[in-house]
Amino acid sequence: MMLLNKLQPPNVQPAALILLLGLMLVLLPHFSHLPLWLSLVTTSLVIWRACYELQLCKIPGKLILFLFTIMLLVGIVLSYHTLVGRDAGSAMLLGLLCLKLFEIKSYREISIIINLALFSIVINFLFNQSIAVAFTMLLALAVLFTALIGFQHNYKKLSQLTPFPIDIIRSSEKQHFKLAFKMLAQAIPFAIVLFILFPRVDGPLWGLPEDAFSAETGLSDNMSPGRISQLSNNTSVAFRVQFDSAVPGQDKLYWRGPVMWNFDGYSWTAPSNERIAISHFEFTGLGEKTNYTITLQPHNTFWMFALDLPSTLPDRSRLSANMQMLSLSPVQKLKRYQISSYTRYILPTYSQISLERYLELPETNSSSPDSNLYKSRQLIKKLKVPGNPQQTINNVLNYFATQDFYYSRQPPLLYNNPVDEFLFETKRGYCEHYASSFTVLMRLTGIPSRIVTGYQGGEINPLDNYMTLRQSDAHAWSEVYLGDKGWVRVDPTAAIPPGNIENTDDAIRLNSTLKKPSTLFKSSWLSKQMKQMHFAWDAINNRWNQWVLGYNNKKQKAFFEAIGIPDITWQGLSQLLFSLLAILTALLALIVFSNQSKQYNDIQHYYDKFLKKLRKADLTKENYEGAADFCQRVILKQPDSKSAIEQITQLYQELRYKKYSEENLKCFKNKINSF
């Protein structure tokens, strides 16, 4: 039993298996966002259909398929709580597409499945627009086109009547694959023209209004114990940086993000209704400015990151009173902006915000040993130096350095009194634990303080000379207000002895005096090659982001300015677009028809040679006579040459009216030459 009951099995089975391969290629990128159960179900259905094609099992009946459909819909509702939207809708489509494999009875169902698979390729780009997904989908297109060509070719061959019985010459799937790639290659110039000239609009190229970016992760405007440590093993890229000036030292690579000041005893927040936006802010920059360009990955929030402290604002951005840079709209597509920063500065407080805001703590009974922050209050009494806030800060940092604290990516859970529990019981935490406890201790001494989150460090790619910041580089530190010195950054995690940092990567990132990773341990040849491959792949992804995903309205205008067409309008773009598409269409038609003409001339040239040989035997083909009729008349006169004449006529008809191939043409030439 084969995929199409109406077609002969030997001609259908390869195309059916190729179709299933193409469907698996379409499904692969979806597995990253589908529930595990649905990934297993869709894969199992495709494998089941493949086993049926290989005659290893039977397909389920209508009742079982109906029950499968009901269970699929129930599972999607339980997983997504809806059947609409990007996530639930794509999951339902993929599940029903795989179930459709068991309802194929004619060529119509084949066409529906291939078209749904092509639509699923487009859906892939709603979730992931990486270069790996793009090339996987290009391969999936080629495989699906190969299957479509195979089905159509077999269907036409088996349904066509011939004037005399001949054996059907089956085209190889390899030829179908070549034809599919040829079709894609012919489409590439059209795709390039559309990509360059199609008018760019603001907003993401791929997206839906409601949930197109719901899966993005990263920093937020609230911080609680364990919030940032959840990102410690997340190696996805947060942003990339191209420096136009010297790269600052490791101890200066603090990338400022959300700033939080409100503390409820457990979490730090920055209420959006209290966020004051300003157009500019006066501060004193010390030393030279650092100039650089950031390519920010979409994260569906307003955060924009800059080296602490930004001295300029990019387009469509604003500054909060806490010197946090914010986009005017959520970052839902790749965002590239040029900016300058001072890594040394004097930052005064914003005059319209009282410093009392940065001293607030939850109300507790300070005299009760069971109350929140009781132990912290007792500790700070010992560490505080009245009238000398800098010495108080040094004493707290020294406390972290000498009291056996550890920097850990798997800190113990903290409950009702997280600051006291961390300082006096667990003594194991990530950056948010140290920043939170330090900021609380500062407020207990009367020093205004706040939490700053962002990223710290970065990895330079030596192949393309840019820096990559990943989610695993997420970091939190404190800022304290010291009168004439203004707001001063204090990173309490830097006080932790290197030997008490459990992860080597964290130790290198947080301590600029440590040696580079390559000198901390002996690297094998394989690990070095893997590192180089990692850098090369990241460099390719960076170029993809810059020139493909980052090709926006501004870059489109810059491109036309570079080729001498400044201030081009949408009308001009449209006219140029349709003109070039018309020219490409005409060129493609000319190439196709000229190739067909050349093929026809070659075929006719050798057939005329065959007719010339027959004329020597007084056998002349009449103008009204077809090749098949002439073949029958010649056989009556030369029965000894029946086999050769039939083969030559058969190949002639194959080449002229069915499927042209170089292999058949070569065979045609050889038989005529030897006739």
Side-chain angles (χ1 to χ4, degrees):
M1 297 176 93
M2 291 297 134
L3 193 57
L4 285 176
N5 295 329
K6 296 182 179 180
L7 302 186
Q8 296 181 10
N11 294 315
V12 179
Q13 187 180 18
L17 295 176
I18 290 172
L19 169 61
L20 296 175
L21 173 61
L23 187 55
M24 278 305 304
L25 287 172
V26 173
L27 289 173
L28 278 176
H30 283 289
F31 292 162
S32 63
H33 63 84
L34 289 178
L36 178 60
W37 69 267
L38 187 55
S39 299
L40 295 175
V41 166
T42 52
T43 303
S44 301
L45 291 174
V46 175
I47 294 174
W48 191 345
R49 183 73 218 196
C51 291
Y52 171 71
E53 292 302 321
L54 298 172
Q55 300 184 353
L56 299 176
C57 65
K58 297 181 179 180
I59 59 173
K62 291 184 178 180
L63 178 60
I64 296 177
L65 286 176
F66 176 75
L67 294 175
F68 277 177
T69 303
I70 297 299
M71 288 189 291
L72 172 70
L73 296 178
V74 171
I76 291 173
V77 170
L78 292 176
S79 297
Y80 297 101
H81 308 292
T82 182
L83 287 176
V84 297
R86 181 197 64 164
D87 296 336
S90 60
M92 182 171 63
L93 173 66
L94 294 172
L96 294 176
L97 172 59
C98 293
L99 284 172
K100 185 67 177 177
L101 293 172
F102 299 98
E103 294 185 344
I104 297 175
K105 295 180 181 178
S106 66
Y107 181 79
R108 178 178 177 275
E109 280 78 19
I110 292 288
S111 179
I112 291 173
I113 287 175
I114 292 178
N115 279 283
L116 287 176
L118 294 174
F119 183 69
S120 300
I121 288 177
V122 177
I123 293 176
N124 257 315
F125 292 106
L126 296 178
F127 296 91
N128 194 327
Q129 300 166 38
S130 69
I131 190 171
V133 170
F135 278 97
T136 303
M137 292 304 97
L138 189 63
L139 179 60
L141 271 177
V143 175
L144 290 172
F145 283 176
T146 302
L148 184 61
I149 293 168
F151 281 120
Q152 290 179 334
H153 182 70
N154 289 322
Y155 180 79
K156 289 179 180 179
K157 285 197 305 183
L158 291 169
S159 61
Q160 184 175 1
L161 296 176
T162 56
F164 63 100
I166 59 173
D167 293 331
I168 296 176
I169 302 175
R170 179 182 169 203
S171 298
S172 67
E173 301 304 324
K174 183 178 179 181
Q175 290 176 331
H176 297 160
F177 198 60
K178 286 182 178 179
L179 179 57
F181 264 106
K182 183 179 179 181
M183 293 168 61
L184 288 175
Q186 291 171 345
I188 286 175
F190 293 87
I192 293 174
V193 168
L194 285 168
F195 174 78
I196 294 175
L197 297 181
F198 195 84
R200 300 284 137 170
V201 295
D202 290 332
L205 179 63
W206 304 95
L208 292 174
E210 296 179 2
D211 56 356
F213 304 94
S214 59
E216 302 294 344
T217 60
L219 296 175
S220 67
D221 57 358
N222 67 83
M223 188 193 79
S224 55
R227 175 67 182 87
I228 296 181
S229 56
Q230 292 173 0
L231 301 174
S232 59
N233 295 316
N234 185 347
T235 59
S236 59
V237 175
F239 55 91
R240 293 182 173 91
V241 187
Q242 187 77 51
F243 285 96
D244 300 322
S245 53
V247 180
Q250 185 75 13
D251 59 335
K252 299 290 192 298
L253 292 176
Y254 285 82
W255 305 91
R256 194 179 189 91
V259 181
M260 286 160 274
W261 63 87
N262 187 50
F263 183 59
D264 61 5
Y266 190 83
S267 299
W268 293 87
T269 58
S272 57
N273 60 341
E274 297 183 30
R275 189 181 297 135
I276 299 175
I278 56 178
S279 58
H280 67 281
F281 191 73
E282 297 295 333
F283 71 95
T284 304
L286 306 176
E288 296 293 328
K289 281 197 298 188
T290 300
N291 304 313
Y292 54 98
T293 302
I294 286 183
T295 305
L296 181 62
Q297 296 292 125
H299 50 70
N300 201 33
T301 61
F302 295 91
W303 323 143
M304 294 175 67
F305 299 94
L307 198 61
D308 203 5
L309 196 67
S311 61
T312 57
L313 278 179
D315 294 338
R316 295 188 56 78
S317 66
R318 57 192 173 93
L319 198 65
S320 76
N322 296 309
M323 297 302 289
Q324 179 189 358
M325 198 162 60
L326 299 166
S327 173
L328 295 182
S329 57
V331 181
Q332 296 179 337
K333 63 177 181 177
L334 209 68
K335 191 177 185 70
R336 194 166 187 259
Y337 51 93
Q338 292 180 324
I339 193 169
S340 300
S341 293
Y342 285 100
T343 57
R344 295 175 55 239
Y345 52 84
I346 298 176
L347 176 63
T349 190
Y350 188 59
S351 58
Q352 297 182 23
I353 296 179
S354 171
L355 287 174
E356 294 297 321
R357 172 198 241 183
Y358 305 107
L359 291 170
E360 294 176 356
L361 288 170
E363 294 184 6
T364 59
N365 185 359
S366 59
S367 61
S368 173
D370 297 327
S371 65
N372 194 9
L373 300 180
Y374 176 80
K375 293 181 180 179
S376 297
R377 294 178 191 276
Q378 301 305 311
L379 172 65
I380 205 63
K381 289 179 181 179
K382 302 176 183 177
L383 301 178
K384 180 179 179 180
V385 179
N388 192 341
Q390 185 61 61
Q391 187 58 49
T392 301
I393 293 171
N394 294 340
N395 288 346
V396 174
L397 295 177
N398 186 59
Y399 178 79
F400 284 131
T402 59
Q403 293 300 311
D404 210 22
F405 282 88
Y406 286 83
Y407 192 83
S408 173
R409 292 191 176 191
Q410 290 85 34
L413 293 177
L414 301 175
Y415 298 98
N416 298 326
N417 192 356
V419 175
D420 280 3
E421 289 174 17
F422 168 68
L423 288 174
F424 302 100
E425 296 177 22
T426 65
K427 293 188 176 183
R428 259 182 164 78
Y430 205 57
C431 58
E432 66 265 35
H433 298 80
Y434 289 95
S436 177
S437 59
F438 178 85
T439 304
V440 168
L441 291 175
M442 291 298 100
R443 290 190 176 188
L444 288 173
T445 66
I447 300 176
S449 53
R450 61 193 181 192
I451 297 284
V452 183
T453 60
Y455 297 88
Q456 202 278 324
E459 181 182 48
I460 289 288
N461 188 319
L463 300 182
D464 222 0
N465 199 31
Y466 64 88
M467 179 176 286
T468 301
L469 277 295
R470 304 182 183 278
Q471 295 296 348
S472 56
D473 296 318
H475 195 55
W477 59 93
S478 299
E479 276 188 337
V480 296
Y481 188 72
L482 299 179
D484 293 340
K485 293 183 179 180
W487 287 101
V488 177
R489 179 176 63 240
V490 181
D491 187 358
T493 55
I496 307 303
N500 288 13
I501 301 177
E502 296 178 355
N503 186 279
T504 303
D505 292 335
D506 291 332
I508 296 163
R509 178 168 57 88
L510 298 171
N511 295 271
S512 60
T513 57
L514 289 181
K515 297 179 181 179
K516 293 182 179 179
S518 58
T519 59
L520 286 175
F521 53 89
K522 203 169 184 179
S523 298
S524 65
W525 176 86
L526 180 61
S527 65
K528 291 179 180 178
Q529 298 306 311
M530 293 295 290
K531 191 69 172 177
Q532 286 297 108
M533 290 175 62
H534 165 76
F535 283 135
W537 178 247
D538 196 69
I540 292 172
N541 272 290
N542 181 50
R543 294 301 177 92
W544 172 265
N545 289 338
Q546 300 294 334
W547 299 107
V548 179
L549 301 184
Y551 187 74
N552 52 20
N553 184 40
K554 186 180 292 186
K555 281 197 172 183
Q556 189 178 53
K557 289 181 178 179
F559 170 78
F560 284 103
E561 287 177 1
I563 62 175
I565 313 178
D567 301 324
I568 189 167
T569 63
W570 278 45
Q571 291 82 358
L573 278 175
S574 301
Q575 292 172 2
L576 185 59
L577 173 62
F578 286 111
S579 298
L580 286 179
L581 288 178
I583 293 172
L584 285 175
T585 303
L587 287 175
L588 181 59
L590 181 63
I591 293 171
V592 170
F593 287 123
S594 63
N595 286 339
Q596 289 181 350
S597 177
K598 181 180 181 300
Q599 293 170 5
Y600 171 80
N601 291 336
D602 289 343
I603 297 166
Q604 196 62 42
H605 169 73
Y606 280 95
Y607 189 67
D608 289 342
K609 186 177 179 180
F610 170 64
L611 296 178
K612 185 177 180 181
K613 290 184 177 183
L614 290 176
R615 281 196 295 268
K616 292 179 180 179
D618 293 329
L619 292 169
T620 303
K621 181 178 178 293
E622 301 296 340
N623 292 333
Y624 61 82
E625 202 169 18
D629 293 334
F630 181 61
C631 172
Q632 296 300 316
R633 186 161 65 85
V634 171
I635 290 174
L636 293 175
K637 296 290 183 71
Q638 295 187 5
D640 295 339
S641 303
K642 177 182 178 181
S643 177
I645 294 170
E646 282 186 342
Q647 289 177 1
I648 290 172
T649 303
Q650 175 184 322
L651 286 169
Y652 175 70
Q653 290 187 319
E654 285 282 340
L655 290 165
R656 279 291 307 275
Y657 307 114
K658 292 184 180 179
K659 178 69 176 177
Y660 175 87
S661 71
E662 294 294 336
E663 183 181 349
N664 283 352
L665 181 61
K666 184 178 179 181
C667 182
F668 182 58
K669 293 177 181 178
N670 292 336
K671 289 190 177 296
I672 290 175
N673 289 332
S674 61
F675 180 72

